[in-house]
Amino acid sequence: MVLDLFKLDGKVAVVTGANTGLGQGMCVALASAGAKVVGVARRDCSETKQLVEEAGGEFLEVIADLSDIKPIDDILNASLKAFGRVDILVNNAGLIKRDDAIDYTVEEWDSVVSVNQKTVFFMCQAFAKQYMKQGTGGKIINVASMLSYQGGIRVPAYTASKSAVLGMTRAMANEWAKYNINVNAIAPGYMVTNNTAAIRDDEDRNAAILDRIPAGRWGTKEDMAGAVVWLASDASNYVHGFTVAVDGGWLAR
Ligand code: NAP
């Protein structure tokens, strides 16, 4: 039965940025498909824990600030201690800082690139090593953006880092596909979360964005469910290095 390919029973998924937004939505989706979930965040994840448990799942919270790569070993060790293995990594934590390129500061640049790019790469490396050690293969799902394809407005470091996510995803897939490690990405379109609060509050930007989305609405965290479960499951075993847009048709325009 083809739907069995999408089941995640017995799998362990680690999701960063699990306390809110798209990360929270993906934790619930992975748990609904059967995975045990480790939620990584720099603040309390009790809301996500409750939603995961309501979906019939198990949830472990790991508090970590991903502006530095130091917590990576602790995240992996806590996951292994609780559940004995890891199978799925979702690099979702990310931030955006808005400023004109002409005024952009080194501090703004470093804060965005460290979380969105550097930590993502070293999380992937640590999990790939663990998948090789386990001999199981595994799944890595990075969260890209429309700005992996486009320049964006007043977010140069975000654009740089999300373009890097698309490229790194391909580069790592090329190297690790032979170990049955699938590295792919999801590029969300314009979604209702804290990340987009500022542009949704700006009446003109909000109207311009909505007008350009063929689906005629902003995306929601629930819209991420199908893509993340597919890329986390055996249904995507021959999919490597691809970035799937979940964008209401934005890139098709
Ligand atoms: P969000 O609600 O702002 O969530 C971002 C998550 O990343 C939060 O959990 C945040 O934690 C976490 N995070 C940020 N810096 C961190 C750090 N130093 N250490 C640990 N966690 C950190 O926004 P979102 O829209 O759900 O974003 C999720 C991902 O989707 C991001 O990578 C974002 O770039 C990407 N994305 C979003 C959209 C969209 O339209 N919303 C579109 C394309 C891509 P705190 O709550 O503590 O800040």
Side-chain angles (χ1 to χ4, degrees), residues 12-199:
V12 178
V14 178
V15 180
T16 67
N19 56 306
T20 185
L22 305 185
Q24 182 177 78
M26 291 191 282
C27 286
V28 175
L30 293 166
S32 309
K36 298 182 173 92
V37 177
V38 180
V40 181
R42 59 183 166 178
R43 63 183 98 224
D44 174 67
C45 288
S46 51
E47 190 180 83
T48 307
K49 181 173 161 58
Q50 191 186 335
L51 292 169
V52 163
E53 288 173 356
E54 280 166 15
E58 268 183 76
F59 186 84
L60 172 75
E61 172 186 280
V62 176
I63 296 294
D65 183 343
L66 299 174
S67 57
D68 199 291
I69 63 171
K70 284 196 199 102
I72 293 177
D73 285 347
D74 288 345
I75 294 167
L76 193 49
N77 289 336
S79 308
L80 294 172
K81 189 171 172 213
F83 297 126
R85 57 184 286 144
V86 285
D87 304 281
I88 300 155
L89 168 66
V90 183
N91 278 310
N92 163 79
L95 76 158
I96 195 159
K97 292 243 163 108
R98 296 173 205 279
D99 211 344
D100 292 333
I102 203 76
D103 296 324
Y104 221 76
T105 64
V106 173
E107 290 72 29
E108 285 172 320
W109 182 273
D110 286 345
S111 66
V112 172
V113 169
S114 60
V115 177
N116 292 12
Q117 182 175 340
K118 183 176 176 185
T119 298
V120 168
F121 176 79
F122 286 102
M123 283 287 285
C124 292
Q125 185 191 65
F127 275 68
K129 282 183 183 169
Q130 178 61 28
Y131 294 156
M132 288 176 199
K133 195 167 151 189
Q134 290 176 183
T136 53
K139 305 282 181 175
I140 296 175
I141 302 156
N142 296 322
V143 176
S145 163
M146 294 297 96
L147 302 191
S148 305
Y149 304 92
Q150 300 176 315
I153 300 168
R154 302 188 75 241
V155 287
Y158 188 80
T159 304
S161 62
K162 291 299 185 177
S163 298
V165 166
L166 188 149
M168 295 190 306
T169 296
R170 288 177 172 151
M172 294 183 285
N174 289 340
E175 190 177 306
W176 301 336
K178 61 179 173 291
Y179 301 109
N180 293 321
I181 297 171
N182 299 80
V183 190
N184 291 293
I186 300 174
Y190 286 80
M191 320 294 277
V192 178
T193 67
N194 300 334
N195 175 297
T196 53
I199 49 175

